[in-house]
Amino acid sequence: MAVFTDENGNPRSEPMIDEQGNPVLCRAAVAARDRMIEQLCALPPIAPALDAIIERFGVDAIAEVTGRSRRLIVGADGRQKLQSRSPRANLVETKAFMDGDKRILVFSDAGGTGRSYHADLSAKNQARRVHFLLEPGWRADAAIQGLGRTNRTNQASAPLFRPVTTDVRGERRFISTIARRLDSLGALTRGQRQTGGQNLFDPADNLESSYAKEALHRWFGLLFQGKLDAVSLRRFQELTGLSIENPDGSLADDLPPIQRWLNRILALPIALQNAIFDEFLGLVEARVDAARAAGTLDLGVETIAVERYEIVSDTLLRTDTISGATTHLLELEIARALKPLTFERLEGLHALADPQHRPVRNVRSGRIALVVPARSLLTDEGARIARFELIRPLKRTWMSADDLAESNWEPVDHEIFRECWRGEIDEAAASLSVERLHLATGLLLPVWDKLPVDHVRVSRIAARDGRSLLGREVPAAHVPALYRALGLGEGAPLAPHVVVEAVLATGRAMEVASVDPLTLKRSLVNGAQRLELTGWLAARLDWYKAQGCFTEIIRFQTRLFVPLETALDVVSAITRG
């Protein structure tokens, strides 16, 4: 560039040219450009996703329904050649997939308009569709339209959706938009949430939820206080252009919304993106976990697939005086098919040779689990809570590092771990999980305020034979309070096993149907959970001990406990007496 001074004395610059009018190039810049081009051309080629899939499986196995008029394919001789595709090619490819001649279908936005690829009962190919959502882009409506191509009426089976993402945390920004749009689509078309999403995403995946917005507000506070490890306040404001600081040095009241924050984060280097998202998601998951533990996590309508269900009891709660609509409380016994994680699948997901993956066994129950590191939670004060995920044959749980160190889980040899894992698999395959729950069904709006406010869960119980029930779950511990709130007295007494299970699961004290006004509760004694009876009479202490209870003097006071191992038999005996 040639520097000159204008008529006002201000320095200016313009491209420099020689006597022939040719631009004068900077030799250092030209050398840097040539070196960059040389390095780029030395990199191995990366095929687009569509071409990579076709190259892997071959054109004879894949039906391509896209807007491409030409494509490179590998011929029988192993050489690439350019193939032209007519507008009718998409029709031929669609027919080949629906007839079962080609088992794989790849379609784009251009191929997802006006066509259906579901397992139609009139089609030859009625296999269950496994729909991989690849490169969804930023348009949620286009992705939803594509998902709708494989989920239609008159189908042999519903599709299995699998969103595919990379390890870039920012990609959750796009997936969360799709998750939010799916749920809103269900609310608009079917009058309920989760109809569109069908539990496809976890609440922690939605980065535009109330939990995420609250977590972002706290993230800004921690950033302002300098308690984040990923980035400092000064660097964040320089890189993103977002100002969260007032001129007087205080935290701004009008903080950037989460949509703007997400868009600015996506412009940062990948490593910095991931570090920021890890801390932010730690705040989000801490709030989601707290809401789930408190029973206030709003999941919309959750579908529970069961093998069968039976109505044990049906209690009429209310009859509307105008419409005659009724509200019922059903006690259901549901049987679920156990779907354990096979040992081969476990080895494919997690390398057992990794020193961070620890096989453990519970010394009390004898159950086994694989401990793997999980994302740390972040408290509102900025402190990190290290967590581990316990992968078990039938479920997954999360524990903090401190809780895991104080628990009964101990390391176990790999050979013993393999044998125990397969033993639990065989045990699960030969049985069904049978449980009981209470479901309020019918006209619920007039009694909604009488239902427990700390447990809001609307469920659809769907059996294999096609029967289904829709209602709101009522924990067993809240059933007596619901009867009293509706003026129905105490209602039918709960079975002893229901009382024991409810107290152990929720920690809520419950009354025991007996001669004496007994209450069963969960107490922490010497670091262990116990079942304790209160309200007993001292004159009948020997009788309680004869039924299997035991006493312990704590702080000069005699307390009565029920053994955990025989709790059901002891409570049943007390109820009969």
Side-chain angles (χ1 to χ4, degrees):
M1 302 293 289
V3 181
F4 67 95
T5 304
D6 62 9
E7 61 274 8
N8 298 324
N10 299 320
R12 301 287 184 181
S13 63
E14 63 180 4
M16 184 182 297
I17 57 176
D18 57 16
E19 293 80 1
Q20 288 78 25
N22 300 318
V24 178
L25 303 179
C26 174
R27 294 182 179 179
V30 171
R33 181 198 63 186
D34 294 341
R35 187 165 56 252
M36 181 186 66
I37 294 176
E38 182 184 29
Q39 292 293 330
L40 289 175
C41 293
L43 294 175
I46 301 176
L50 178 57
D51 292 335
I53 293 174
I54 293 178
E55 182 180 353
R56 169 64 178 83
F57 296 100
V59 292
D60 295 334
I62 295 180
E64 178 189 343
V65 184
T66 63
R68 298 200 300 181
S69 59
R70 294 184 301 173
R71 65 178 181 179
L72 277 174
I73 63 172
V74 178
D77 54 357
R79 302 178 60 182
Q80 284 187 337
K81 63 179 181 179
L82 187 63
Q83 182 188 58
S84 299
R85 306 180 76 242
S86 66
R88 291 184 53 83
N90 287 343
L91 297 176
V92 176
E93 296 282 67
T94 301
K95 185 177 185 303
F97 174 74
M98 298 300 289
D99 289 346
D101 298 331
K102 295 186 176 182
R103 305 291 293 177
I104 303 174
L105 169 71
V106 180
F107 69 93
S108 63
D109 290 346
T113 304
R115 293 184 177 90
S116 297
Y117 310 115
H118 62 293
D120 196 291
L121 294 176
S122 60
K124 295 181 181 179
N125 181 11
Q126 297 183 10
R128 185 180 188 183
R129 273 48 169 169
V130 181
H131 190 149
F132 292 88
L133 178 61
L134 180 65
E135 297 179 357
W138 60 272
R139 290 185 56 196
D141 53 350
I144 292 170
Q145 184 189 42
L147 293 175
R149 298 299 103 191
T150 56
N151 191 17
R152 298 290 196 188
T153 57
N154 195 43
Q155 59 186 3
S157 60
L160 178 64
F161 294 115
R162 291 191 178 277
V164 179
T165 61
T166 64
D167 57 354
V168 178
R169 308 293 193 274
E171 204 163 6
R172 283 202 180 198
R173 195 266 182 267
F174 304 114
I175 296 298
S176 69
T177 304
I178 298 172
R180 179 171 53 87
R181 189 66 63 84
L182 280 169
D183 290 339
S184 64
L185 177 69
L188 291 173
T189 59
R190 298 288 296 276
Q192 66 186 44
R193 281 168 305 146
Q194 293 301 98
T195 301
Q198 286 297 325
N199 305 325
L200 183 62
F201 301 94
D202 188 82
D205 292 331
N206 189 354
L207 300 186
E208 298 182 6
S209 65
S210 59
Y211 304 107
K213 294 177 181 178
E214 181 184 348
L216 178 63
H217 190 274
R218 188 54 199 157
W219 186 89
F220 281 128
L222 295 176
L223 177 66
F224 181 77
Q225 298 170 13
K227 294 184 177 181
L228 296 178
D229 299 332
V231 65
S232 63
L233 175 61
R234 179 179 178 181
R235 189 183 181 205
F236 175 79
Q237 294 186 140
E238 290 177 351
L239 293 176
T240 62
L242 296 176
S243 178
I244 65 171
E245 193 176 9
N246 290 323
D248 60 356
S250 61
L251 182 64
D253 295 330
D254 187 16
L255 295 172
I258 193 168
Q259 292 85 356
R260 188 187 309 164
W261 178 80
L262 288 169
N263 289 331
R264 299 295 175 89
I265 292 297
L266 294 181
L268 301 180
I270 299 299
L272 183 57
Q273 280 188 45
N274 291 347
I276 291 176
F277 268 101
D278 277 339
E279 292 182 333
F280 170 66
L281 293 175
L283 290 170
V284 176
E285 291 182 359
R287 282 157 172 76
V288 172
D289 289 348
R292 183 181 283 112
T296 59
L297 183 62
D298 189 359
L299 295 173
V301 178
E302 185 176 6
T303 301
I304 302 177
V306 300
E307 293 296 309
R308 56 176 174 81
Y309 69 81
E310 296 179 2
I311 300 178
V312 179
S313 63
D314 185 350
T315 303
L316 178 63
L317 298 180
R318 181 182 180 276
T319 302
D320 191 75
T321 57
I322 299 177
S323 64
T326 58
T327 306
H328 298 258
L329 181 66
L330 305 179
E331 183 181 1
L332 303 176
E333 183 178 85
I334 62 176
R336 305 193 200 190
L338 300 177
K339 299 179 180 179
L341 178 65
T342 63
F343 190 80
E344 291 72 20
R345 177 64 174 165
L346 176 69
E347 289 181 313
L349 294 174
H350 305 279
L352 299 183
D354 192 333
Q356 292 185 324
H357 300 168
R358 295 176 293 160
V360 295
R361 181 168 60 179
N362 193 297
V363 295
R364 296 187 61 182
S365 64
R367 299 297 182 180
I368 46 95
L370 182 67
V371 178
V372 299
R375 179 183 290 110
S376 300
L377 298 181
L378 205 64
T379 65
D380 289 348
E381 290 73 28
R384 287 182 174 272
I385 301 178
R387 285 196 313 166
F388 292 93
E389 181 182 5
L390 274 69
I391 303 176
R392 303 171 65 179
L394 293 175
K395 63 179 180 179
R396 299 186 177 202
T397 57
W398 285 262
M399 295 181 67
S400 65
D402 295 338
D403 292 341
L404 182 61
E406 298 176 359
S407 66
N408 295 311
W409 294 100
E410 294 184 354
V412 67
D413 182 75
H414 281 77
E415 291 297 328
I416 299 177
F417 175 75
R418 182 183 294 105
E419 293 177 4
C420 293
W421 189 283
R422 288 176 174 167
E424 292 190 22
I425 294 292
D426 296 338
E427 179 184 346
S431 61
L432 296 175
S433 174
V434 180
E435 58 184 292
R436 292 199 178 193
L437 60 84
H438 292 80
L439 194 72
T441 63
L443 185 62
L444 295 181
L445 189 59
V447 301
W448 193 266
D449 57 340
K450 304 296 191 301
L451 298 174
V453 296
D454 57 347
H455 187 91
V456 182
R457 184 175 179 181
V458 179
S459 303
R460 175 185 285 108
I461 312 297
R464 182 178 290 273
D465 58 5
R467 297 182 302 154
S468 64
L469 291 171
L470 178 65
R472 178 171 164 183
E473 290 189 32
V474 180
H478 295 268
V479 171
L482 176 62
Y483 285 147
R484 289 193 294 268
L486 294 174
L488 302 178
E490 295 295 331
L494 297 177
H497 71 276
V498 176
V499 176
V500 173
E501 292 173 0
V503 173
L504 288 175
T506 65
R508 186 185 180 95
M510 295 187 64
E511 297 179 359
V512 178
S514 64
V515 178
D516 303 327
L518 297 178
T519 300
L520 186 67
K521 68 176 185 177
R522 194 176 67 187
S523 302
L524 184 64
V525 181
N526 294 331
Q529 295 290 349
R530 293 186 183 180
L531 287 175
E532 182 178 3
L533 282 173
T534 61
W536 49 274
L537 301 178
R540 288 169 54 86
L541 181 59
D542 292 337
W543 184 84
Y544 294 124
K545 295 173 67 175
Q547 307 308 312
C549 299
F550 68 95
T551 60
E552 188 170 335
I553 300 176
I554 303 175
R555 294 183 180 180
F556 306 102
Q557 184 178 5
T558 301
R559 296 172 64 175
L560 187 64
F561 298 98
V562 176
L564 290 176
E565 296 78 8
T566 59
L568 178 58
D569 296 334
V570 173
V571 174
S572 300
I574 293 175
T575 302
R576 291 192 300 267

